[in-house]
PDB file of all heavy atoms in Angstrom:
ATOM      1  N   LEU A  13      40.632   3.373 -33.598  1.00 90.00           N
ATOM      2  CA  LEU A  13      40.635   1.919 -33.473  1.00 90.00           C
ATOM      3  C   LEU A  13      39.724   1.252 -34.496  1.00 90.00           C
ATOM      4  O   LEU A  13      39.584   0.035 -34.507  1.00 90.00           O
ATOM      5  CB  LEU A  13      40.190   1.521 -32.071  1.00 90.00           C
ATOM      6  CG  LEU A  13      41.204   1.781 -30.963  1.00 90.00           C
ATOM      7  CD1 LEU A  13      40.607   1.468 -29.619  1.00 90.00           C
ATOM      8  CD2 LEU A  13      42.448   0.945 -31.200  1.00 90.00           C
ATOM      9  N   ASP A  29      27.577  -5.761 -23.085  1.00 82.00           N
ATOM     10  CA  ASP A  29      28.325  -6.860 -23.685  1.00 82.00           C
ATOM     11  C   ASP A  29      29.502  -6.312 -24.465  1.00 82.00           C
ATOM     12  O   ASP A  29      29.329  -5.499 -25.367  1.00 82.00           O
ATOM     13  CB  ASP A  29      27.428  -7.620 -24.677  1.00 82.00           C
ATOM     14  CG  ASP A  29      26.085  -7.934 -24.056  1.00 82.00           C
ATOM     15  OD1 ASP A  29      26.059  -8.190 -22.841  1.00 82.00           O
ATOM     16  OD2 ASP A  29      25.074  -7.898 -24.787  1.00 82.00           O
ATOM     17  N   SER A  77      30.863  23.796   8.317  1.00 88.00           N
ATOM     18  CA  SER A  77      32.032  23.578   7.466  1.00 88.00           C
ATOM     19  C   SER A  77      32.388  22.108   7.479  1.00 88.00           C
ATOM     20  O   SER A  77      32.676  21.518   6.436  1.00 88.00           O
ATOM     21  CB  SER A  77      33.235  24.366   7.979  1.00 88.00           C
ATOM     22  OG  SER A  77      32.926  25.711   8.115  1.00 88.00           O
ATOM     23  N   ALA A  80      30.068  20.127   5.480  1.00 90.00           N
ATOM     24  CA  ALA A  80      30.337  20.308   4.053  1.00 90.00           C
ATOM     25  C   ALA A  80      31.507  19.441   3.604  1.00 90.00           C
ATOM     26  O   ALA A  80      31.445  18.771   2.575  1.00 90.00           O
ATOM     27  CB  ALA A  80      30.628  21.778   3.763  1.00 90.00           C
ATOM     28  N   HIS A 139       9.090  17.036  -1.752  1.00 93.00           N
ATOM     29  CA  HIS A 139       9.242  15.665  -1.286  1.00 93.00           C
ATOM     30  C   HIS A 139       8.126  14.791  -1.835  1.00 93.00           C
ATOM     31  O   HIS A 139       8.359  13.665  -2.288  1.00 93.00           O
ATOM     32  CB  HIS A 139       9.237  15.633   0.247  1.00 93.00           C
ATOM     33  CG  HIS A 139       9.225  14.249   0.801  1.00 93.00           C
ATOM     34  ND1 HIS A 139       8.088  13.655   1.282  1.00 93.00           N
ATOM     35  CD2 HIS A 139      10.198  13.326   0.924  1.00 93.00           C
ATOM     36  CE1 HIS A 139       8.380  12.423   1.686  1.00 93.00           C
ATOM     37  NE2 HIS A 139       9.652  12.206   1.489  1.00 93.00           N
ATOM     38  N   ASN A 140       6.924  15.328  -1.837  1.00 90.00           N
ATOM     39  CA  ASN A 140       5.802  14.543  -2.345  1.00 90.00           C
ATOM     40  C   ASN A 140       5.885  14.315  -3.846  1.00 90.00           C
ATOM     41  O   ASN A 140       5.393  13.319  -4.360  1.00 90.00           O
ATOM     42  CB  ASN A 140       4.482  15.214  -1.983  1.00 90.00           C
ATOM     43  CG  ASN A 140       4.200  15.121  -0.496  1.00 90.00           C
ATOM     44  OD1 ASN A 140       4.749  14.243   0.187  1.00 90.00           O
ATOM     45  ND2 ASN A 140       3.361  16.015   0.009  1.00 90.00           N
ATOM     46  N   ILE A 183      20.107  28.807  37.676  1.00 98.00           N
ATOM     47  CA  ILE A 183      20.700  28.492  36.378  1.00 98.00           C
ATOM     48  C   ILE A 183      19.882  29.128  35.263  1.00 98.00           C
ATOM     49  O   ILE A 183      18.653  28.966  35.215  1.00 98.00           O
ATOM     50  CB  ILE A 183      20.758  26.956  36.149  1.00 98.00           C
ATOM     51  CG1 ILE A 183      21.501  26.293  37.323  1.00 98.00           C
ATOM     52  CG2 ILE A 183      21.435  26.640  34.834  1.00 98.00           C
ATOM     53  CD1 ILE A 183      21.588  24.798  37.225  1.00 98.00           C
ATOM     54  N   GLU A 227      25.505  38.164  20.508  1.00 96.00           N
ATOM     55  CA  GLU A 227      24.207  38.101  21.185  1.00 96.00           C
ATOM     56  C   GLU A 227      24.338  37.599  22.611  1.00 96.00           C
ATOM     57  O   GLU A 227      23.600  38.025  23.504  1.00 96.00           O
ATOM     58  CB  GLU A 227      23.247  37.249  20.356  1.00 96.00           C
ATOM     59  CG  GLU A 227      22.957  37.952  19.034  1.00 96.00           C
ATOM     60  CD  GLU A 227      22.428  37.034  17.947  1.00 96.00           C
ATOM     61  OE1 GLU A 227      22.966  35.915  17.762  1.00 96.00           O
ATOM     62  OE2 GLU A 227      21.501  37.441  17.271  1.00 96.00           O
ATOM     63  N   VAL A 271      30.555  32.277  38.265  1.00 97.00           N
ATOM     64  CA  VAL A 271      29.532  31.790  37.333  1.00 97.00           C
ATOM     65  C   VAL A 271      30.096  30.605  36.563  1.00 97.00           C
ATOM     66  O   VAL A 271      31.200  30.681  36.009  1.00 97.00           O
ATOM     67  CB  VAL A 271      29.120  32.892  36.326  1.00 97.00           C
ATOM     68  CG1 VAL A 271      27.940  32.426  35.507  1.00 97.00           C
ATOM     69  CG2 VAL A 271      28.803  34.193  37.042  1.00 97.00           C
ATOM     70  N   GLU A 326      28.403  13.302  23.339  1.00 96.00           N
ATOM     71  CA  GLU A 326      29.404  13.073  24.359  1.00 96.00           C
ATOM     72  C   GLU A 326      29.511  14.386  25.117  1.00 96.00           C
ATOM     73  O   GLU A 326      29.632  15.448  24.503  1.00 96.00           O
ATOM     74  CB  GLU A 326      30.712  12.773  23.617  1.00 96.00           C
ATOM     75  CG  GLU A 326      31.883  12.385  24.442  1.00 96.00           C
ATOM     76  CD  GLU A 326      33.073  12.146  23.501  1.00 96.00           C
ATOM     77  OE1 GLU A 326      32.991  11.235  22.650  1.00 96.00           O
ATOM     78  OE2 GLU A 326      34.046  12.901  23.599  1.00 96.00           O
TER      79      GLU A 326
END
Side-chain angles (χ1 to χ4, degrees):
Chain A
L13 287 175
D29 312 325
S77 306
H139 173 259
N140 290 338
I183 305 179
E227 294 160 316
V271 188
E326 185 180 298

